[in-house]
Amino acid sequence: MDETITTQASLSNTTSGLTNPQEFAYDPCERPSHDILIISCVCTFISVCGLVGNVVVVWFLGCCMKQNPFTVYVLNLAIADFSLLLILLVNLLLHFIISPEYCISHYVFFMINSILFILFLFCYFAGMYLLTAMSVERCLAALFPLWYRCHRPERLSGILCGVLWTLAALFATLLFVVCFFHESCQQLFYVLSIVNFVLFSFFPFLSNLALFIKLRCGSQRRHPGKLYVTVLLSVTFLFILGFPFSVEAFIAMYYPRSYYISCLLTSLNSSINPFLYFLVGSCRQRRFQCSLKVAFRRLFEEEATREERSQKPGDAMVESSV
């Protein structure tokens, strides 16, 4: 992707783009500079690796194992990350191959950019919301295991995933409508960036980190399990890698190059989860030793095994170590 998601090139000019697309800041006939090409090549490599990793996760969870509440979130998150990376690759293809080679019109270029921008935001919001819901469930399961297992609705994960996908679609549609038919497009994007970062990145990171410290350093020390460690790592990477994307919305008009770095980090954030699943699932007694399929099965089936044990009368909750 190029100036699609920047405030200067995509958001600030959206309101005037339909009537005067020549004002769009990026020239589709111009060859990009060398530094942008290097960043784009790295972004492409990361995105391709992420696509492969997320496809493996979707295939494994969809075809090779029985679903449980945790894997429903993971499956939806992998679909969101896969879609985001695919949109990223399509936009890279548009900007660095199709546009300079065939020199498409500014209007067509701008319209395609706008559509890809909204789809990108839709997948980005959905992934953020799904990861937040997953982290909240892990916190409840770690703090109140008996209450959580007795009162949790059976189909809660599926219902929440549907609600969160719908919420992401509503926000993306709202931004699309406001940007094309109203003058407050830039302000709305600022508000969405702040709200999403605080509620669905910063707050989950702090709460999960505080819970992990409490479980490991409290009076009754116990390990919350591989699943919780995986969620904590995912939330941490979302906070670190997603922060530049949120900040970029405010500084893009002053430092245009900041967009390319934030885009690179966003692709890394959407690609890293499958590798976290493998590393945490294969880690045993501080050694990484097992196949990809075994690592995924060990990680994703842990929750079902622990729930079965916890439901037996008189059994204490068994905590597994990483």
Side-chain angles (χ1 to χ4, degrees):
M1 297 178 69
D2 203 326
E3 306 288 347
T4 307
I5 311 173
T6 58
T7 306
Q8 181 183 15
S10 183
L11 293 176
S12 300
N13 297 312
T14 301
T15 55
S16 62
L18 291 177
T19 57
N20 192 10
Q22 285 75 18
E23 294 178 3
F24 188 65
Y26 181 82
D27 184 3
C29 300
E30 182 181 356
R31 292 285 179 179
S33 60
H34 292 291
D35 56 337
I36 295 177
L37 278 177
I38 293 175
I39 296 176
S40 299
C41 289
V42 175
C43 185
T44 300
F45 175 77
I46 294 174
S47 299
V48 171
C49 293
L51 284 173
V52 174
N54 283 292
V55 165
V56 172
V57 173
V58 172
W59 170 80
F60 180 80
L61 295 181
C63 304
C64 298
M65 70 169 293
K66 183 180 178 180
Q67 294 292 309
N68 61 56
F70 181 78
T71 58
V72 172
Y73 288 116
V74 176
L75 179 60
N76 280 268
L77 179 60
I79 293 174
D81 288 337
F82 174 85
S83 302
L84 185 146
L85 293 172
L86 186 61
I87 295 169
L88 201 60
L89 286 178
V90 170
N91 216 338
L92 285 171
L93 179 67
L94 171 69
H95 279 263
F96 300 116
I97 297 180
I98 297 179
S99 297
E101 182 70 21
Y102 299 100
C103 193
I104 61 179
S105 68
H106 284 73
Y107 184 83
V108 173
F109 184 82
F110 177 76
M111 290 300 299
I112 296 176
N113 266 325
S114 301
I115 294 173
L116 291 175
F117 167 65
I118 296 301
L119 293 176
F120 179 92
L121 282 185
F122 168 60
C123 298
Y124 184 79
F125 291 162
M128 183 182 295
Y129 302 160
L130 290 166
L131 185 56
T132 300
M134 189 163 54
S135 68
V136 170
E137 285 223 24
R138 290 303 91 206
C139 289
L140 291 176
L143 288 175
F144 313 104
L146 296 179
W147 177 89
Y148 175 79
R149 289 182 177 87
C150 292
H151 294 84
R152 184 188 184 280
E154 182 179 356
R155 301 182 180 275
L156 179 63
S157 296
I159 296 173
L160 275 180
C161 287
V163 171
L164 294 175
W165 279 105
T166 303
L167 182 64
L170 287 176
F171 282 152
T173 303
L174 176 63
L175 187 62
F176 178 82
V177 172
V178 171
C179 286
F180 275 79
F181 301 103
H182 203 271
E183 298 294 331
S184 57
C185 172
Q186 193 171 357
Q187 291 80 359
L188 176 61
F189 187 72
Y190 287 167
V191 172
L192 286 178
S193 298
I194 295 174
V195 171
N196 282 327
F197 177 75
V198 173
L199 294 183
F200 301 104
S201 181
F202 183 67
F203 177 74
F205 168 71
L206 288 183
S207 59
N208 279 268
L209 182 62
L211 177 60
F212 183 81
I213 295 175
K214 178 180 179 180
L215 293 177
R216 295 297 289 172
C217 304
S219 57
Q220 298 179 346
R221 294 184 181 181
R222 60 190 180 93
H223 198 287
K226 292 179 182 294
L227 295 178
Y228 182 79
V229 173
T230 304
V231 173
L232 176 61
L233 290 174
S234 297
V235 171
T236 302
F237 279 109
L238 174 64
F239 172 74
I240 296 174
L241 301 177
F243 178 73
F245 179 77
S246 300
V247 174
E248 189 270 339
F250 297 91
I251 65 176
M253 65 179 62
Y254 306 107
Y255 306 101
R257 286 294 188 273
S258 66
Y259 162 74
Y260 301 102
I261 302 299
S262 65
C263 185
L264 177 65
L265 296 179
T266 301
S267 66
L268 181 60
N269 176 64
S270 296
S271 304
I272 201 169
N273 284 328
F275 299 97
L276 292 179
Y277 303 151
F278 171 73
L279 291 177
V280 176
S282 62
C283 182
R284 197 167 189 177
Q285 296 179 349
R286 299 183 180 181
R287 292 183 179 181
F288 300 96
Q289 47 182 7
C290 67
S291 66
L292 179 66
K293 187 174 182 180
V294 173
F296 280 4
R297 189 172 297 278
R298 181 183 296 168
L299 174 65
F300 296 133
E301 290 184 347
E302 179 191 73
E303 180 71 8
T305 303
R306 291 174 60 181
E307 286 187 2
E308 290 176 0
R309 291 176 179 176
S310 66
Q311 290 171 358
K312 295 179 181 179
D315 281 1
M317 185 176 179
V318 180
E319 302 293 341
S320 60
S321 59
V322 175

